[in-house]
Amino acid sequence: MGAVAAAVVLATLRYMPGPAATVASTRGVVRPGASAAAAPGVGAAAGAEEEGEEAVEGRKKKKKGDGVVLFNFGDSNSDTGGVAAVMGIRIAPPEGRAHFHHPTGRLSDGRVILDFICESLGTHHLSPFMKPLGSDFTNGVNFAIAGSTAMPGVTTFSLDVQVDQFIFFKERCLDLIERGESAPVDELGFQTALYTMDIGHNDINGVLHMPYDEMLANLPPVIVEIKKAIERLHKNGARKFWIHGTGALGCMPQKLAMPRDDDTDLDEHGCIASINNVCKKFNSLLSEALDELRLTLKKSAIVFVDMFAIKYDLVANNKKYGIEKPLMTCCGHGGPPYNYDPKKSCMTSDEYLCKLGEKFISWDGVHFTDAANGIVASKVLSGEYAIPRARARRETTAMAGATNGGGNGSGKVISLPLQYFCVLAAVVVAVMVLSLTFMSPSAMVAVRQNLSSVAAASAGSSNSSGAGEGGAGLAAPAPPVARKEKEQAQAQRPSVVLFNFGDSNSDTGGVAAAGGIRIMPPEGRTYFRRPTGRLSDGRVIIDFICEFN
């Protein structure tokens, strides 16, 4: 036993973490043991120089995606199943056929660009915020909903609502942690997460029916809303932003299949020049707005990705990518040249479907195929189209080291005073173990008898106190036999399953979660002692029904 005590002390001293020192990098902070390449904007050569062989070996042993956290905001270009979940839409085959081999709620035959970004970081795909089954939020949340706009009030889940949902999620996580419960993301995870945004396409689509000058005049308000969203996220702790511009919408089969008087507006690659010019203007305004934010949000990393240049290149140089029909839809109606019919969807039974393995850019006339998204993602991750020049892989890896507390996977840093308490606790344990080790047998018997008598006295005091107060005190514990019979009766009782439909009279927090609405005290004060999303001071009727059953 003495040897065990000594081992406890030695183990505590050996594995006790060092002081929470940090190492400054050119654009960020990384803890010792984390990859030096983790700092945003630091090149591979610099990272190799700054990290030693021990750090490299430690990173190899550590799971690649541990500690990586992302929060995404957007529309169908990055929706991983949100619209299907929140609207109860049944996405049918052939959606998802290329990668998942079944529909997943994505409007594609496979993955979206966000999925490839997650894969490059070694973490699983982001779960939609509104998806009730199978969601895992330990690596972040996807708030993107297909059809969403940056402008508020135009769609149900516009960008401002998505940011509200994020704030709701963050507050619930921190509230759980404060109450001693587990949460998918801790405070450090929110601070070091990457915040990605891919939105504005539907806002542009909404003005394409206007004269050209009016289309351009409607772009600045959209940029303002994106800028406001970034500022709100920054106010709530976000520091790393990865913002995608819009693509070449004038090359989409959906736009090309619209009736037109002549082809004078088509460019050399068959795309509608006026629409693409609006997209380029949108990206220019967005890039300028992000430049302004870098001046005001000085401690943040804000990266803009020129998605127009990436996606237009797929059309302009389609042969280089093995794409034979860059302007034709893989899954649609009508056949060449565009295979798109606005009155019919890809999921109807008589669709004209390309063969598996054939490379197409457009899946359904609006969204990209898995193959095209993979090409686009590789260019996004390369950093060649980023302003300022930064690789998404390095930008996002920065949080892996920070979240993991220097690469040990704990997510926490123990302060120096706490280390002394650890040593002190180990010494106390060692002294107790040594005392018991060298205690005589008769003394051990006496100790056991004393402990038994103290326990019996405490139990007797509690029982007599409860009886003397006429039952006002705590009831005596039920005998083991009675407890066992009660547990058996509960086990034999058939399980009850309820599905409820209604409004605020039976809402147990749905509107607060979906709308990101912050329910404040005194809501919930009577029963839960805190707001729960119920519009009451306590329980609603459905709660009592559940308790009764």
Side-chain angles (χ1 to χ4, degrees):
M1 293 296 288
V4 172
V8 170
V9 177
L10 291 173
T12 304
L13 293 172
R14 170 66 180 83
Y15 296 106
M16 183 175 60
T22 58
V23 179
S25 70
T26 56
R27 289 180 58 197
V29 176
V30 291
R31 292 188 176 84
S35 167
V42 179
E49 290 174 2
E50 291 183 16
E51 61 181 356
E53 293 179 5
E54 205 170 321
V56 174
E57 281 300 314
R59 196 174 71 253
K60 285 180 180 177
K61 293 178 182 178
K62 181 176 171 295
K63 186 180 176 182
K64 184 181 177 184
D66 284 352
V68 176
V69 179
L70 290 87
F71 294 104
N72 181 68
F73 307 85
D75 50 31
S76 57
N77 283 332
S78 58
D79 185 352
T80 54
V83 72
V86 72
M87 301 300 292
I89 300 172
R90 185 174 180 270
I91 306 294
E95 304 283 344
R97 69 167 188 170
H99 178 76
F100 301 102
H101 308 302
H102 64 88
T104 62
R106 293 164 173 82
L107 299 178
S108 171
D109 64 334
R111 293 159 289 184
V112 295
I113 296 170
L114 179 65
D115 294 322
F116 287 98
I117 293 175
C118 289
E119 289 175 8
S120 74
L121 300 170
T123 189
H124 59 78
H125 299 153
L126 282 189
S127 297
F129 177 65
M130 300 299 292
K131 183 181 176 183
L133 301 174
S135 291
D136 182 349
F137 300 134
T138 54
N139 70 321
V141 183
N142 188 10
F143 298 96
I145 297 286
S148 295
T149 56
M151 291 296 291
V154 180
T155 52
T156 305
F157 295 99
S158 51
L159 182 57
D160 61 321
V161 175
Q162 293 181 25
V163 175
D164 286 339
Q165 290 176 332
F166 162 77
I167 296 171
F168 176 89
F169 176 81
K170 180 181 179 181
E171 289 180 347
R172 297 292 80 74
C173 284
L174 299 184
D175 182 55
L176 285 171
I177 293 171
E178 187 177 348
R179 291 189 280 116
E181 302 177 36
S182 61
V185 181
D186 61 15
E187 188 168 6
L188 188 57
F190 286 105
Q191 292 172 3
T192 56
L194 182 73
Y195 294 78
T196 59
M197 197 173 293
D198 192 336
I199 201 165
H201 319 88
N202 294 314
D203 298 270
I204 297 173
N205 284 329
V207 301
L208 291 180
H209 65 282
M210 301 177 179
Y212 183 73
D213 290 342
E214 290 185 32
M215 285 192 280
L216 296 181
N218 276 273
L219 298 180
V222 180
I223 303 300
V224 169
E225 292 303 323
I226 295 175
K227 188 177 178 181
K228 283 165 58 177
I230 295 172
E231 289 172 334
R232 284 189 66 203
L233 290 170
H234 180 272
K235 186 177 180 181
N236 283 274
R239 292 296 180 268
K240 298 188 180 90
F241 299 94
W242 192 266
I243 313 299
H244 290 181
T246 190
L249 302 185
C251 300
M252 290 169 47
Q254 179 202 50
K255 302 294 185 289
L256 292 167
M258 293 189 300
R260 55 179 178 267
D261 296 331
D262 52 55
D263 293 341
T264 55
D265 196 22
L266 297 184
D267 66 14
E268 58 182 319
H269 300 293
C271 301
I272 302 175
S274 59
I275 294 179
N276 279 347
N277 287 337
V278 172
C279 295
K280 286 190 281 188
K281 182 61 177 178
F282 176 89
N283 286 346
S284 175
L285 293 172
L286 179 57
S287 182
E288 291 172 7
L290 298 182
D291 287 340
E292 295 172 3
L293 285 175
R294 291 187 195 99
L295 296 176
T296 56
L297 310 180
K298 295 183 179 179
K299 293 186 178 180
S300 298
I302 305 174
V303 176
F304 167 76
V305 182
D306 187 357
M307 298 298 286
F308 182 94
I310 296 175
K311 293 185 175 181
Y312 188 76
D313 182 61
L314 281 182
V315 175
N317 298 293
N318 58 291
K319 299 290 185 182
K320 182 175 72 173
Y321 302 105
I323 299 168
E324 295 295 329
K325 302 169 184 175
L327 302 179
M328 184 171 166
T329 293
C330 170
C331 182
H333 300 266
Y338 305 122
N339 191 35
Y340 183 83
D341 185 342
K343 298 177 182 178
K344 297 181 180 180
S345 74
C346 167
M347 290 177 281
T348 53
S349 58
D350 61 339
E351 78 276 351
Y352 181 96
L353 187 63
C354 68
K355 295 179 181 178
L356 271 171
E358 282 188 280
K359 275 193 175 181
F360 276 70
I361 296 174
S362 179
W363 166 243
D364 56 8
V366 179
H367 309 98
F368 275 27
T369 62
D370 181 88
N373 279 329
I375 297 171
V376 173
S378 67
K379 292 179 177 292
V380 169
L381 293 165
S382 73
E384 295 177 17
Y385 297 85
I387 302 173
R389 186 67 75 87
R391 295 181 66 185
R393 190 175 290 105
R394 296 203 177 280
E395 181 74 25
T396 47
T397 306
M399 64 192 157
T403 303
N404 289 328
N408 63 5
S410 65
K412 298 178 181 178
V413 177
I414 299 180
S415 62
L416 198 58
L418 186 56
Q419 298 175 28
Y420 297 140
F421 284 111
C422 292
V423 175
L424 181 60
V427 172
V428 171
V429 171
V431 171
M432 292 176 63
V433 172
L434 288 170
S435 301
L436 293 172
T437 301
F438 297 104
M439 187 179 292
S440 64
S442 58
M444 289 289 288
V445 172
V447 169
R448 292 194 187 97
Q449 289 175 345
N450 287 336
L451 290 174
S452 299
S453 62
V454 170
S458 299
S461 175
S462 300
N463 293 340
S464 60
S465 173
E469 293 174 7
L474 294 175
V481 176
R483 284 203 305 270
K484 188 174 182 180
E485 289 177 352
K486 184 178 180 181
E487 290 173 359
Q488 289 176 346
Q490 290 177 342
Q492 293 173 357
R493 187 178 181 181
S495 59
V496 178
V497 179
L498 288 83
F499 295 100
N500 180 65
F501 306 85
D503 51 26
S504 58
N505 286 328
S506 57
D507 183 356
T508 55
V511 71
I517 301 171
R518 193 169 182 228
I519 306 296
M520 298 289 292
E523 301 284 347
R525 69 172 187 173
T526 303
Y527 181 77
F528 299 102
R529 307 286 192 269
R530 58 184 172 82
T532 62
R534 294 164 172 82
L535 300 178
S536 169
D537 64 335
R539 294 162 287 184
V540 293
I541 296 172
I542 190 69
D543 293 320
F544 288 97
I545 293 174
C546 289
E547 292 174 7
F548 175 79
N549 283 308

